[in-house]
Amino acid sequence: MRIVQKFGGTSVGSLERIRATADLVEAELARGNQIAVVVSAMSGETNRLIGMATEMDATPCEREIDALVATGEQVSAALLAIELQHRGIRAYSYNGAQAGVTTSGDYKRARIKSISCAHLQNHLQAGEVPVVTGFQGVDEQGNITTLGRGGSDTSAVALAVAVEADVCDIYTDVDGIYTTDPRIVSKARKMEQISYEEMLEMASLGAKVLQTRSVEMAMRYNMPIHLRSSFENITGTMVVKEDDTMERAAISGVAYNRDEAKITILGIPDHPGIAANVFGPVAEAGINVDVIVQNVSAQGFTDITFTVPRSDYQATMKLMRDLCTSLHGRDVQGDDGVAKVSVIGVGMRSHAGVAKTMFDALAAEGVNIQMITTSEIKITVVIEEKYVELAVRSLHTAFALDATPDER
Amino acid sequence: MRIVQKFGGTSVGSLERIRATADLVEAELARGNQIAVVVSAMSGETNRLIGMATEMDATPCEREIDALVATGEQVSAALLAIELQHRGIRAYSYNGAQAGVTTSGDYKRARIKSISCAHLQNHLQAGEVPVVTGFQGVDEQGNITTLGRGGSDTSAVALAVAVEADVCDIYTDVDGIYTTDPRIVSKARKMEQISYEEMLEMASLGAKVLQTRSVEMAMRYNMPIHLRSSFENITGTMVVKEDDTMERAAISGVAYNRDEAKITILGIPDHPGIAANVFGPVAEAGINVDVIVQNVSAQGFTDITFTVPRSDYQATMKLMRDLCTSLHGRDVQGDDGVAKVSVIGVGMRSHAGVAKTMFDALAAEGVNIQMITTSEIKITVVIEEKYVELAVRSLHTAFALDATPDER
């Protein structure tokens, strides 16, 4: 097999951790696999570099920030290559420019356009290990760019696609994706497989194990991702294309996000364009609106309710109060003590009654549903935050996700 | 004027020092000059990086060491660019690859082959400041290379040649070249000018203010170097081509090196190839032999005396004892308490009697000369180390180098 292995900042965070990471590379080579490696900067290094820059200038030039922080991965790539060579493995570090990673010219948030990697393929065919810096590339003028925080996952998937790897192994500090948060539900099970679509829905709910862009790219090119632990040599969760051989429970997992706030603007005139009036200023302020519900209009007036991240609650409330005044609305009400709970599963498409099961389970526990929103493979409810654990546990049981004693 | 300014590790060693360095760039721009900057790594950074590498592997792969330490200059270049931009100066960092510095493929000791710098020239013409990493480049395959310690001076001169600068300003922790060491001779004078040839002879004696390769390159391309202080805004010493307008004292300066040892191998057969027999093993051991004197042969036997750095004394003595045994020589004698003192000056070519003045001055002080060697612009004597200060002071006076009270 040809494998791209990706190691994050904690996996190269110290010389001791680099040695443990080299063990993982060596083990895959010993199994006869061809290995390319993608690394992040040593944990803490990127923040150290940015700290120096912002001490010089509170808003330092983005071109220079990218040139500065790109050194972080170059250091960890060289150190890992040195450790691999120390073990007799022919390993060679490559920074973004050397690896042929061409990106857009958007500093701090560049997008990979292409990877010219014939030289890396030659290494792989020769049983050698290219160690490539994640997170970075160069634009068409040769300026150093970075992909934004977490971009190393995307680098790894893009490299796996470019070298036609069989799988992209992403090593993290968790050992896979669980049916729900094991800290809340002791019977949570590690999933063997999850579809790209489900993974994206999980990620959007704050289960930030994989960077969303990396999953989107893997889905586009049908590159399997093996999400696995850098601490234990055990199988993790495969993120793959949905296909017929997959287990088809109605629901694969239950996700939640506590950090939500809900805002309602009451009694505003219901005319075309009113939603743009409400959400225009919020978008301009860079605030992400998530769930939106608009009541049926009564006598030409309507109420709009939506959620925002809790950290944006105060700013959004102020925008809405101003708007309410200018639109002669009736009132603005807010609640920064709400949470979202979702059930997710590609099986939902073919299984009727998921919504009914969900609402019944919550009703049985006395959990009041404040808002509901649905997508093709997800149903989300907004509830009072204090009910989160109760709701997650009851849904996990209701959808038969609880592990049997054997599975634990 | 178009100026390349080079700043060493201490000049970018802290954020405070980077600000002081930015002052020096800003001052030259304010005078209407076009400025390109070459920087070293922050002081201590290169050693920190090598320390991590050698902790992984006592003899780490040279390719990876170069990739690793090259990050040091990239960090300081980006930070200086950020500080310059903070002041409203359009500044852009470039690493070796981006600056177009192509080198040989000899890791850790690469030589610059060419610099493709049309883009840097465009910056200069637009009044913008390219900040280029010293010490590094890429070979023709795109591998990162470094020029070896001190190579940043060479980078600066090479860049000055490439962008057709009028002068290469090298900022250091001294304010120029002195007629001799001011710690020994209080009347030492700072030279306004020194020729490339004289500078090279000074450097070979341990006056390591400028890296030898940088002076050789400046001489080859006739690029004036202005060696000056990074702490005081005063004129330093210009290192230039020797020409008729230069002050033509017989002697420009007196240099010395204490760290010498002398070894004599006695009574070995005098036949063609005997010098190769003696110095072959020394060269193989990587030991630099400096002054060599061979006595006139008597009855088919000869004595050979030479100096080596004091740190190589024990190793060299062992090599010579082994050799003496195998050649059936009479004896090996050594002395690790000697020093070299030299007078240097292009004027020596046209002034007779320099040797006589030198030997008279030393004799008057009772300093015994153990060995003598000469080049076109230098006379060197080996003496007992305890006489170094006395010899340097008497020669400084004998060649009329002492400053008058006005000059101090």
Side-chain angles (χ1 to χ4, degrees):
Chain A
M1 282 223 298
R2 181 172 284 187
I3 304 173
V4 171
Q5 295 184 305
K6 184 261 170 177
F7 298 100
T10 53
S11 291
V12 292
S14 67
L15 300 186
E16 191 190 340
R17 292 292 297 135
I18 289 174
R19 289 191 192 101
T21 293
D23 289 342
L24 296 170
V25 178
E26 200 171 8
E28 289 296 353
L29 285 170
R31 288 186 198 107
N33 294 314
Q34 295 180 351
I35 304 297
V37 176
V38 172
V39 290
S40 302
M42 298 173 86
S43 50
E45 180 67 3
T46 305
N47 286 337
R48 184 183 76 89
L49 293 167
I50 290 175
M52 289 198 291
T54 50
E55 210 176 304
M56 314 243 55
D57 187 336
T59 54
C61 165
E62 296 192 333
R63 179 186 186 277
E64 299 308 326
I65 282 290
D66 278 4
L68 183 69
V69 301
T71 63
E73 291 81 29
Q74 192 168 320
V75 166
S76 51
L79 289 175
L80 179 57
I82 286 168
E83 175 60 22
L84 290 170
Q85 292 196 346
H86 183 58
R87 299 164 182 227
I89 298 164
R90 283 161 294 151
Y92 304 88
S93 74
Y94 287 91
N95 66 21
Q98 293 177 304
V101 180
T102 306
T103 73
S104 67
D106 309 302
Y107 297 118
K108 294 173 80 176
R109 64 194 74 83
R111 297 201 154 248
I112 295 175
K113 291 173 132 181
S114 66
I115 303 186
S116 339
C117 59
H119 56 314
L120 304 185
Q121 303 238 33
N122 291 342
H123 281 311
L124 287 165
Q125 263 144 26
E128 298 168 349
V129 179
V131 182
V132 178
T133 55
F135 179 67
Q136 62 182 259
V138 286
D139 69 12
E140 274 155 13
Q141 285 72 49
N143 296 302
I144 295 167
T145 55
T146 68
L147 310 184
R149 292 252 164 161
S152 290
D153 290 349
T154 309
S155 298
V157 172
L159 184 67
V161 171
V163 302
E164 299 176 331
D166 297 291
V167 61
C168 181
D169 281 9
I170 296 191
Y171 288 83
T172 70
D173 51 2
V174 298
D175 66 356
I177 305 292
Y178 280 74
T179 48
T180 195
D181 186 344
R183 288 169 300 181
I184 290 184
V185 182
S186 63
K187 293 176 179 172
R189 277 187 301 119
K190 187 166 73 179
M191 289 185 245
E192 282 180 29
Q193 290 190 320
I194 185 173
S195 72
Y196 298 120
E197 292 85 348
E198 289 168 325
M199 190 68 220
L200 286 172
E201 295 284 16
M202 294 285 221
S204 70
L205 278 152
K208 294 278 183 215
V209 182
L210 276 177
Q211 217 227 352
T212 305
R213 277 162 64 191
S214 67
V215 181
E216 287 168 353
M217 183 176 286
M219 182 164 67
R220 187 153 64 248
Y221 295 100
N222 194 21
M223 173 57 60
I225 294 175
H226 185 185
L227 188 78
R228 57 193 303 186
S229 167
S230 53
F231 297 97
E232 290 175 283
N233 188 11
I234 54 172
T235 303
T237 298
M238 294 294 296
V239 187
V240 293
K241 189 178 170 190
E242 179 197 349
D243 72 18
D244 298 338
T245 66
M246 280 179 87
E247 177 188 7
R248 274 293 188 85
I251 293 301
S252 301
V254 181
Y256 67 92
N257 189 6
R258 292 179 193 278
D259 299 323
E260 301 285 330
K262 183 180 77 164
I263 294 170
T264 303
I265 180 163
L266 293 158
I268 49 173
D270 185 17
H271 58 73
I274 187 69
N277 283 352
V278 171
F279 296 113
V282 181
E284 274 165 34
I287 295 165
N288 283 322
V289 170
D290 186 15
V291 183
I292 300 175
V293 173
Q294 184 172 359
N295 283 1
V296 176
S297 177
Q299 287 117 24
F301 292 90
T302 190
D303 308 332
I304 293 181
T305 303
F306 58 93
T307 62
V308 293
R310 196 169 294 165
S311 54
D312 292 323
Y313 176 68
Q314 294 299 344
T316 313
M317 280 298 279
K318 183 175 183 317
L319 287 173
M320 289 304 110
R321 286 202 192 94
D322 294 350
L323 187 80
C324 188
T325 306
S326 71
L327 292 177
H328 306 291
R330 200 171 78 238
D331 195 10
V332 175
Q333 293 173 351
D335 180 355
D336 63 353
V338 300
K340 281 192 306 192
V341 174
S342 302
V343 295
I344 295 160
V346 290
M348 192 182 293
R349 294 195 194 109
S350 50
H351 289 65
V354 168
K356 181 177 185 302
T357 305
M358 182 177 193
F359 303 152
D360 282 350
L362 294 175
E365 299 290 349
V367 177
N368 188 40
I369 298 172
Q370 301 184 6
M371 297 169 78
I372 300 172
T373 181
T374 61
S375 79
E376 205 186 349
I377 64 165
K378 179 175 72 169
I379 302 174
T380 298
V381 296
V382 174
I383 61 175
E384 249 190 290
E385 191 196 348
K386 67 179 181 184
Y387 292 123
V388 162
E389 289 88 349
L390 179 62
V392 169
R393 270 194 296 266
S394 67
L395 291 172
H396 200 263
T397 302
F399 286 102
L401 295 171
D402 291 354
T404 60
D406 282 355
E407 291 172 318
R408 268 177 262 165
Chain B
M1 283 226 293
R2 180 172 284 187
I3 305 174
V4 170
Q5 295 183 305
K6 184 261 170 176
F7 298 99
T10 53
S11 291
V12 292
S14 67
L15 301 184
E16 191 189 343
R17 293 291 296 137
I18 289 173
R19 290 191 191 99
T21 293
D23 289 344
L24 296 169
V25 177
E26 200 171 9
E28 290 296 354
L29 285 170
R31 287 184 199 108
N33 295 314
Q34 294 180 352
I35 304 297
V37 176
V38 172
V39 289
S40 301
M42 297 173 87
S43 50
E45 180 67 2
T46 305
N47 286 336
R48 183 183 77 87
L49 293 166
I50 290 176
M52 288 197 292
T54 50
E55 211 176 306
M56 314 243 53
D57 187 337
T59 55
C61 166
E62 297 192 331
R63 179 185 185 277
E64 300 308 326
I65 282 290
D66 278 5
L68 183 69
V69 302
T71 61
E73 290 81 30
Q74 191 168 320
V75 167
S76 51
L79 290 175
L80 179 57
I82 287 168
E83 176 60 23
L84 290 170
Q85 292 195 347
H86 183 58
R87 298 163 183 228
I89 297 164
R90 282 161 294 150
Y92 305 89
S93 73
Y94 286 92
N95 67 20
Q98 292 177 305
V101 180
T102 306
T103 72
S104 67
D106 309 302
Y107 297 118
K108 293 174 80 174
R109 63 195 74 85
R111 298 200 152 250
I112 295 175
K113 291 173 130 180
S114 65
I115 303 186
S116 337
C117 59
H119 55 314
L120 304 185
Q121 303 237 34
N122 290 342
H123 281 312
L124 287 165
Q125 263 144 26
E128 299 167 349
V129 179
V131 181
V132 178
T133 55
F135 178 66
Q136 63 182 259
V138 285
D139 70 12
E140 275 157 11
Q141 285 72 49
N143 296 302
I144 296 168
T145 55
T146 68
L147 311 184
R149 292 251 164 163
S152 290
D153 289 350
T154 309
S155 298
V157 171
L159 184 67
V161 171
V163 302
E164 299 176 330
D166 296 291
V167 62
C168 180
D169 282 9
I170 295 189
Y171 287 83
T172 71
D173 51 2
V174 299
D175 64 356
I177 305 292
Y178 280 73
T179 49
T180 195
D181 186 345
R183 288 169 300 180
I184 290 185
V185 182
S186 63
K187 291 176 177 173
R189 277 186 302 118
K190 187 167 75 182
M191 291 185 245
E192 284 180 27
Q193 289 190 321
I194 185 173
S195 71
Y196 298 121
E197 292 86 348
E198 289 168 326
M199 190 67 219
L200 285 173
E201 295 284 15
M202 293 286 221
S204 69
L205 277 152
K208 294 278 183 214
V209 182
L210 275 177
Q211 218 229 349
T212 305
R213 278 162 64 192
S214 67
V215 181
E216 287 168 353
M217 183 176 286
M219 181 162 68
R220 185 153 66 248
Y221 294 100
N222 194 22
M223 172 57 60
I225 294 175
H226 185 185
L227 188 78
R228 56 192 304 187
S229 167
S230 53
F231 296 97
E232 290 175 284
N233 188 10
I234 55 172
T235 303
T237 298
M238 294 295 297
V239 186
V240 293
K241 188 179 171 190
E242 179 196 351
D243 72 17
D244 298 339
T245 65
M246 279 178 91
E247 178 188 6
R248 274 291 188 87
I251 293 301
S252 300
V254 181
Y256 68 92
N257 188 6
R258 292 179 193 277
D259 299 322
E260 300 284 330
K262 182 181 77 164
I263 293 169
T264 304
I265 180 162
L266 294 157
I268 50 174
D270 186 15
H271 58 72
I274 186 68
N277 283 351
V278 172
F279 296 114
V282 182
E284 274 165 33
I287 296 166
N288 282 322
V289 171
D290 187 14
V291 183
I292 300 175
V293 173
Q294 183 172 359
N295 281 4
V296 176
S297 175
Q299 288 117 23
F301 292 91
T302 188
D303 308 333
I304 294 180
T305 303
F306 58 93
T307 63
V308 294
R310 195 169 295 165
S311 54
D312 293 323
Y313 176 68
Q314 294 299 345
T316 313
M317 279 299 279
K318 183 175 182 318
L319 287 173
M320 288 303 110
R321 285 202 193 94
D322 295 348
L323 188 80
C324 189
T325 305
S326 70
L327 292 178
H328 306 290
R330 200 168 79 239
D331 195 10
V332 175
Q333 293 173 350
D335 180 356
D336 64 350
V338 300
K340 282 191 305 190
V341 175
S342 303
V343 296
I344 294 157
V346 292
M348 193 183 293
R349 293 196 195 110
S350 51
H351 288 67
V354 167
K356 181 177 186 304
T357 305
M358 183 178 194
F359 302 152
D360 283 350
L362 294 175
E365 300 291 349
V367 178
N368 186 40
I369 298 173
Q370 302 184 7
M371 297 169 78
I372 300 173
T373 182
T374 62
S375 79
E376 204 186 350
I377 64 165
K378 177 175 73 170
I379 302 175
T380 299
V381 296
V382 174
I383 62 174
E384 249 190 288
E385 191 196 347
K386 67 179 181 185
Y387 292 123
V388 163
E389 290 87 350
L390 180 61
V392 169
R393 271 194 296 267
S394 67
L395 292 171
H396 201 263
T397 302
F399 287 102
L401 294 171
D402 291 354
T404 60
D406 281 356
E407 292 172 319
R408 270 176 259 165

